[in-house]
Amino acid sequence: MKEGIDDRQGHRQRLRERFLSGGLEGFHDYEVVELLLTLGTPRRDCKGSAREALARFGSLQAVFEADDRELMEVSGIGPSNLFGLRLIKSVAERYLEARMVQHPCILNSRELLDFLTLKIGHRRRECFFAVYLNAKNRVVASKVLFEGSLTSSAVYPREVVSAALAHKAAAVIFAHNHPSGEAEPSKEDIRVTQKLVSALRVMGITVHEHLVIGAAGHYSFAEHGYIDRFVREAEAAAPEP
């Protein structure tokens, strides 16, 4: 019995030493999950659970995005050793958000895309997200506004405007995910974006971008000319002063 415990402890120590000496270079994804599970499992062997989790969910990111109930269906994963998996994702989100806040927000910057992909990219329900910027294009806040299918009846311009005003935003970047993995916008996505650009323009708030985040990439409304087009349409439709 003691020999088995010593073997497990030696294996864990070797994993930790590998990480401390070279980071995650050369680690298999299941070894990353195993290392995180050991934070909340001081004695039990976690290798089998880590392999089973990767096989069940298909990728490291999908393991991080799985909910607690699903993770605990994996043999050997329980409430205590969920700690490491939850901790690493929350720390990564905070780190990426901090990097984004520290720099002027350049549209489609790597920091922004990394943050949004981690925050909403693999959620199983559509999630509508807003990043608020001040007059110097620095991020002042970010927030999930709506969850569920993105339709014109589910995204309320009045609430979007109210949230932007509450954050004293001069500009906003919107993003939502497609659980299907495809980043191409739907007709409804386009209609919603048009309504929001128009509503926020009335309040003097600029919409810089709307990004659709999919598992395989992203779609930029600004890069495809939609944002400029909607601004011109809103200006043309505005009554004469």
Side-chain angles (χ1 to χ4, degrees), residues 54-75:
L54 260 296
R56 177 186 176 99
F57 298 107
S59 71
L60 184 62
Q61 188 160 5
V63 171
F64 293 152
E65 295 291 345
D67 64 34
D68 290 358
R69 178 186 56 79
E70 291 174 317
L71 284 168
M72 288 190 291
E73 290 174 357
V74 175
S75 176

Side-chain angles (χ1 to χ4, degrees), residues 82-167:
L82 284 173
F83 170 77
L85 297 176
R86 291 291 172 254
L87 176 65
I88 191 64
K89 184 173 183 294
S90 296
V91 168
E93 286 180 1
R94 180 169 291 190
Y95 168 70
L96 290 173
E97 187 171 24
R99 281 181 61 191
M100 189 174 65
V101 168
Q102 288 171 3
H103 305 98
C105 187
I106 301 169
L107 297 185
N108 296 334
S109 68
R110 188 72 258 165
E111 287 89 355
L112 175 64
L113 286 171
D114 286 346
F115 172 67
L116 291 172
T117 299
L118 181 62
K119 189 75 175 179
I120 65 173
H122 285 260
R123 293 199 184 193
R124 298 184 184 183
R125 299 179 64 199
E126 284 198 25
C127 176
F128 189 76
F129 195 78
V131 179
Y132 303 104
L133 303 102
N134 64 18
K136 294 182 179 180
N137 271 350
R138 290 187 179 274
V139 175
V140 294
S142 62
K143 182 180 181 182
V144 173
L145 292 177
F146 307 101
E147 289 190 72
S149 296
L150 184 62
T151 66
S152 56
S153 60
V155 176
Y156 303 104
R158 181 178 296 178
E159 292 184 24
V160 174
V161 170
S162 177
L165 291 173
H167 287 98

Side-chain angles (χ1 to χ4, degrees), residues 3-107:
E3 183 178 348
I5 293 173
D6 289 343
D7 287 345
R8 288 195 294 272
Q9 290 176 339
H11 173 64
R12 291 179 183 201
Q13 186 61 32
R14 287 190 293 274
L15 279 180
R16 291 171 184 175
E17 288 173 357
R18 277 175 61 196
F19 171 72
L20 290 173
S21 64
L24 292 178
E25 185 71 28
F27 270 69
H28 297 290
D29 283 351
Y30 80 84
E31 290 176 313
V32 177
V33 175
E34 179 185 359
L35 194 58
L36 293 170
L37 289 175
T38 65
L39 296 176
T41 312
R43 295 179 179 83
R44 188 185 309 138
D45 183 5
C46 296
K47 183 185 291 185
S49 300
R51 286 182 179 273
E52 184 180 337
L54 260 296
R56 177 186 176 99
F57 298 107
S59 71
L60 184 62
Q61 188 160 5
V63 171
F64 293 152
E65 295 291 345
D67 64 34
D68 290 358
R69 178 186 56 79
E70 291 174 317
L71 284 168
M72 288 190 291
E73 290 174 357
V74 175
S75 176
I77 296 182
S80 61
N81 57 6
L82 284 173
F83 170 77
L85 297 176
R86 291 291 172 254
L87 176 65
I88 191 64
K89 184 173 183 294
S90 296
V91 168
E93 286 180 1
R94 180 169 291 190
Y95 168 70
L96 290 173
E97 187 171 24
R99 281 181 61 191
M100 189 174 65
V101 168
Q102 288 171 3
H103 305 98
C105 187
I106 301 169
L107 297 185

